[in-house]
Amino acid sequence: MSGLADHQDKKVWPRAPVSAWQDPAAAQWASQPTQNPVPMPPPAKRADPRGHWFLLAIGMLLAAFALVLNGYVTNVVGETRSVPPTADHPSRQLAEIRRGGPVLNLTGGEPSSARLPDRTIALTFDDGPDPAWTPAVLDALKKYGAKATFFAVGSKVAEHPELARRIIAEGHELGNHTYAHADLAAVPGWRLRLELSLTQKALAGATGLHTTLVRPPYSATPEAITGPQWESMKALAADGYLVTLADLDTKDWSRPGTRKIVTSSLPAGGRGAIVMMHDSGGDRRQTVEAVDLVLKELTGKGYRAVTVTKALGMPSAQQPAGDVERFVGSALNVAQRASGWFTGALSWVLVAAGALTLARLVFFAVLAWVHARRTRGGRRRRGRAPAWPVPPPVTVIVPAYNEAAGIQATVRSLAETAYPGQVEILVVDDGSTDSTAELAAGLGFANVRVIRRRNGGKPAALNTGIEQAGHELLIMVDGDTVFEPATIGRLVRQLSDPTVGAVSGNTKVGNRRGMIGRWQHIEYVIGFNLDRRAFEQLDCMATVPGAIGAFRRSALVALGGVSSDTLAEDTDLTMALCRAGWRVVYEEKALAWTEAPTSLGQLWKQRYRWCYGTMQAMWKHRRAVLDKDPFGRRCLGYLALFQVLLPLLAPVVDLMAIYSTAVGDPLPVVAVWAGFVLVQALTGWYALRLDGERASALWVLPLQQFVYRQLLYLVVIQSLATAVLGVRLRWHSVRREGTFGLVSPPPAPGAHT
């Protein structure tokens, strides 16, 4: 539900690698609040990577090709079945063919047919090769020195080329039985030609040979030919094939019993016959047993068991394929096996991903319930925090860069707090080029001090505020965020526990009008604030958001201040605090209203920075997985799995959904999608209830699966490519609308009044 990381510090600065504590000149400038700032020159811009989008497109095309190919092979795409026979009016030629032999030569002006000579039998096997039954059939044939003709399905040749090679090596014959066992009487001409051509390529790739024999699927004896089948057979003959039917159809596919298969395989009166059996398509144990018994009985009667062409005294059906055909066939065979592996593996991965996602939603909802019961009952996990004897003094740091649109609303909300203790407000203007500093100073609040410094980046601005702060308890708030009157007191209350080093507040989207604003509102409540309840229970809080967080100054000093190593300084700082042994907790009633991006372009810039910065923080703290404390394994493991790996699978999930809807029954896809949305809706309802928000906001949740969800996972892909390529991402500015400078923030949820 949530995007990667949740840094609600949406105002961003130009890139600056040095903090005020690390840069004496910057610190000196920070001590001169009345001087006009001299902005540093902007950093050289480096273009974001683009080549990976081409690679992604290629990857998606290959995945689509694999799905289509596997679907074609398994008769999902272009599925055909045997067409029930219909009443027809046979032509003179068809009437003659029905009375003729099983081998049809339709290439001349007048069709002709042929029968096998007496005491000659041609055993034929359809639908293979099969790794379980074809070797057993070959062993039975070898026992009696018999030869047979195998009408192979091209897709199975591609899947088991070694069996096709064994058939040829042992002196048997291969025929064409189409690529996907399609009923040629029910497909258009292009599909008929494709079926035959692909099979020839599969044979060429596996054996280096082509074949001139063909047996249409769902055909049997000449007298059973229908009108549509007759038309398809003429099309086969036009391509130079010799159509081979049967004299005796054992119907072994129905598993009638070994004795019935044997009986239906024996020609009467010493006549010759082509016998139809199957070496694939199910359990063929009865067929294998029948082959042994038939050969034993016919050998005793003086029959010879040979291939179809040998029985008719014709040249071999096997013809050498050209080098190009062999290469193309080999490529096709490899592609088919790869597509089968890919589809199978992907199915298991997607099932696992879906199960993990559902389990995460349910597990986090349970943890949030536990958190709510404990905190609302006045108890934290490790005992109730002692009350402060007197309200301690607090310093609020507001780093600001070009925040003229909303800085006055932010400062006013801080200055008009209901907190009874002393509140010092430091507005650190980080070299703004607008009137941010003047507007903040012009409000005339006695406890507000504006510090103007050279532009150095948000970490440097925060470090300047930390250095100038007069109190131990610090609250950091962005220049586009508005506090509720009780927020400072609720944050400070949790710091009365000496084991707590930081407190995350509850960030709300203030500008909820419009679809993008509503989507972000849902995401903040479900994906951010619900998660923080669970993170506190698991002791693995990943981020205290820059929009609202309280800290101990001594803890930050011990860490060396706010690091500028990453673009997600809030995540970096939170991880460092947790690794240092401090507890980080979540205060649901400490509300802050923030301005969210109002366009997809601005949202992309914001989430791109969040995601890339979080990956930087994960890499920086990668050794935390080896720490004795479980924080690193829980936090980094969660982020890697749910915020990086699973989003990378999301494009393929969408591709499979589109593919399944387009080529199959869309009901299962819709059912799965609806199930996920239902679980999300139930989780969202509970999250909104915990926050005292209206459940009516959930009407936008189904629509969030389109556009918004895709934007979030594309951000992960872009960020990962940026990180892998080693591109140093620059800061992106998010345009401010001045939401709180124009209107009052939404009223606090009823549960928090």
Side-chain angles (χ1 to χ4, degrees):
M1 186 70 185
S2 65
L4 198 150
D6 42 22
H7 321 268
Q8 281 100 16
D9 55 334
K10 283 160 290 300
K11 182 60 199 175
V12 293
W13 277 254
R15 178 65 183 155
V18 182
S19 72
W21 288 3
Q22 298 165 329
D23 182 2
Q28 181 181 7
W29 189 272
S31 64
Q32 302 174 15
T34 60
Q35 296 184 13
N36 292 326
V38 179
M40 296 175 66
K45 292 185 177 181
R46 292 186 62 185
D48 294 335
R50 293 287 184 267
H52 63 287
W53 294 124
F54 174 76
L55 295 178
L56 176 63
I58 295 297
M60 294 297 287
L61 288 174
L62 290 175
F65 172 77
L67 291 173
V68 171
L69 179 58
N70 187 72
Y72 188 88
V73 168
T74 55
N75 263 336
V76 174
V77 179
E79 180 177 0
T80 64
R81 291 289 184 267
S82 177
V83 177
T86 57
D88 57 11
H89 303 282
S91 64
R92 177 185 59 82
Q93 290 181 339
L94 178 54
E96 292 178 359
I97 288 296
R98 285 175 173 174
R99 294 191 296 270
V103 181
L104 310 181
N105 183 0
L106 311 179
T107 58
E110 285 294 324
S112 61
S113 64
R115 296 182 184 277
L116 269 61
D118 291 345
R119 299 196 181 279
T120 302
I121 189 169
L123 296 179
T124 62
F125 300 91
D126 293 0
D127 299 351
D130 183 277
W133 305 113
T134 301
V137 169
L138 289 172
D139 291 342
L141 293 171
K142 188 175 183 179
K143 177 180 177 182
Y144 293 93
K147 306 301 177 185
T149 301
F150 291 80
F151 288 95
V153 174
S155 61
K156 294 186 178 181
V157 171
E159 189 174 354
H160 306 290
E162 73 285 352
L163 293 178
R165 288 191 288 269
R166 179 181 171 184
I167 290 171
I168 295 298
E170 295 185 4
H172 305 291
E173 194 169 49
L174 284 169
N176 193 326
H177 200 50
T178 74
Y179 194 79
H181 204 267
D183 187 350
L184 299 183
V187 299
W190 68 266
R191 174 78 186 274
L192 181 148
R193 292 186 292 273
L194 179 64
E195 289 283 331
L196 300 177
S197 175
L198 289 177
T199 303
Q200 293 284 29
K201 288 179 173 60
L203 289 172
T207 67
L209 300 171
H210 282 166
T211 182
T212 58
L213 295 180
V214 66
R215 173 175 286 169
Y218 309 108
S219 63
T221 58
E223 58 266 25
I225 299 175
T226 65
Q229 286 178 331
W230 171 243
E231 295 300 322
S232 66
M233 289 177 186
K234 289 192 291 185
L236 297 175
D239 286 339
Y241 286 97
L242 190 67
V243 180
T244 307
L245 304 179
D247 292 295
L248 302 174
D249 182 4
T250 64
K251 293 183 171 56
D252 61 334
W253 51 268
S254 64
R255 300 178 62 192
T258 301
R259 178 42 56 185
K260 286 189 176 181
I261 296 174
V262 171
T263 301
S264 59
S265 301
L266 299 175
R271 291 195 297 268
I274 296 177
V275 180
M276 179 186 292
M277 295 182 176
H278 297 79
D279 63 331
S280 185
D283 187 344
R284 294 290 172 256
R285 185 175 292 104
Q286 294 177 1
T287 300
V288 174
E289 294 171 352
V291 169
D292 186 275
L293 296 174
V294 167
L295 289 174
K296 181 178 181 180
E297 184 167 343
L298 291 179
T299 300
K301 294 181 179 181
Y303 272 80
R304 61 183 185 127
V306 294
T307 64
V308 170
T309 56
K310 184 72 172 178
L312 295 174
M314 298 174 56
S316 172
Q318 316 300 340
Q319 304 293 327
D323 292 339
V324 174
E325 286 292 304
R326 294 186 183 190
F327 175 79
V328 173
S330 297
L332 173 64
N333 295 348
V334 171
Q336 184 192 303
R337 293 195 296 274
S339 71
W341 176 87
F342 172 80
T343 304
L346 186 62
S347 298
W348 282 107
V349 168
L350 294 183
V351 168
L356 284 171
T357 301
L358 291 177
R360 171 194 169 276
L361 287 172
V362 174
F363 183 52
F364 272 38
V366 171
L367 290 178
W369 174 77
V370 173
H371 178 273
R373 288 198 62 185
R374 290 180 174 178
T375 56
R376 294 180 181 182
R379 295 179 292 111
R380 311 295 301 189
R381 287 191 62 189
R382 302 181 186 175
R384 184 172 182 174
W388 291 102
V390 294
V394 179
T395 296
V396 181
I397 303 172
V398 186
Y401 174 77
N402 288 351
E403 293 286 4
I407 190 63
Q408 287 192 326
T410 298
V411 173
R412 186 178 289 111
S413 73
L414 298 172
E416 296 175 352
T417 179
Y419 181 64
Q422 181 183 353
V423 177
E424 174 190 39
I425 301 173
L426 303 181
V427 178
V428 184
D429 180 70
D430 193 54
S432 297
T433 58
D434 62 6
S435 57
T436 297
E438 290 78 6
L439 290 172
L443 291 172
F445 291 110
N447 61 338
V448 175
R449 180 159 59 103
V450 177
I451 302 174
R452 305 177 71 177
R453 52 159 288 125
R454 294 182 186 273
N455 177 255
K458 185 177 182 181
L462 288 172
N463 286 328
T464 297
I466 295 170
E467 183 186 32
Q468 297 288 319
H471 307 300
E472 166 67 7
L473 302 187
L474 306 178
I475 294 176
M476 299 179 185
V477 54
D478 285 340
D480 64 337
T481 302
V482 172
F483 273 20
E484 300 244 335
T487 295
I488 293 178
R490 286 166 174 163
L491 288 172
V492 170
R493 179 179 60 186
Q494 300 303 331
L495 289 172
S496 63
D497 184 343
T499 67
V500 174
V503 183
S504 170
N506 188 345
T507 313
K508 299 286 187 178
V509 174
N511 50 334
R512 302 179 184 179
R513 297 180 180 86
M515 189 62 67
I516 296 176
R518 290 186 174 96
W519 280 337
Q520 291 177 89
H521 165 51
I522 292 293
E523 183 186 18
Y524 272 49
V525 174
I526 302 177
F528 294 161
N529 295 327
L530 184 70
D531 287 359
R532 285 198 180 92
R533 292 177 168 90
F535 290 150
E536 181 184 330
Q537 295 299 112
L538 296 173
D539 285 330
C540 63
M541 191 78 70
T543 305
V544 173
I548 174 172
F551 303 86
R552 294 185 187 277
R553 185 178 186 275
S554 57
L556 301 185
V557 170
L559 293 175
V562 181
S563 172
S564 61
D565 292 339
T566 74
L567 295 186
E569 74 287 331
D570 48 3
T571 297
D572 186 3
L573 180 61
T574 306
M575 289 182 178
L577 284 169
C578 291
R579 294 186 69 187
W582 291 101
R583 289 182 59 214
V584 179
V585 299
Y586 173 66
E587 175 51 65
E588 61 177 339
K589 294 183 179 181
L591 299 182
W593 300 89
T594 191
E595 180 179 323
T598 56
S599 69
L600 291 177
Q602 294 296 311
L603 182 64
W604 172 274
K605 290 181 179 180
Q606 180 199 69
R607 299 310 173 89
Y608 183 18
R609 185 179 64 82
W610 287 7
C611 184
Y612 180 79
T614 298
M615 289 183 182
Q616 287 180 309
M618 292 170 63
W619 180 254
K620 177 179 177 180
H621 295 279
R622 62 191 182 277
R623 297 189 182 278
V625 298
L626 303 177
D627 293 345
K628 183 177 180 181
D629 187 90
F631 163 77
R633 290 180 289 279
R634 293 176 182 175
C635 179
L636 297 184
Y638 172 84
L639 292 177
L641 179 60
F642 289 101
Q643 306 284 12
V644 178
L645 294 181
L646 291 186
L648 293 178
L649 293 174
V652 184
V653 173
D654 287 351
L655 178 64
M656 288 197 71
I658 295 171
Y659 163 77
S660 300
T661 302
V663 305
D665 183 1
L667 184 59
V669 177
V670 174
V672 171
W673 175 81
F676 271 95
V677 172
L678 177 62
V679 174
Q680 285 185 326
L682 292 174
T683 306
W685 169 82
Y686 182 63
L688 290 167
R689 183 172 178 270
L690 284 178
D691 268 19
E693 298 278 2
R694 296 178 179 176
S696 59
L698 289 174
W699 73 268
V700 301
L701 187 60
L703 300 177
Q704 199 179 44
Q705 306 303 312
F706 307 98
V707 180
Y708 192 78
R709 172 176 164 274
Q710 284 72 25
L711 181 142
L712 295 184
Y713 70 60
L714 290 176
V715 161
V716 176
I717 294 172
Q718 173 78 3
S719 301
L720 187 61
T722 304
V724 170
L725 295 175
V727 177
R728 186 71 171 181
L729 181 64
R730 63 184 183 274
W731 291 90
H732 295 291
S733 296
V734 177
R735 186 179 63 253
R736 295 293 168 219
E737 304 293 337
T739 299
F740 305 123
L742 301 174
V743 296
S744 300
H752 299 147
T753 56

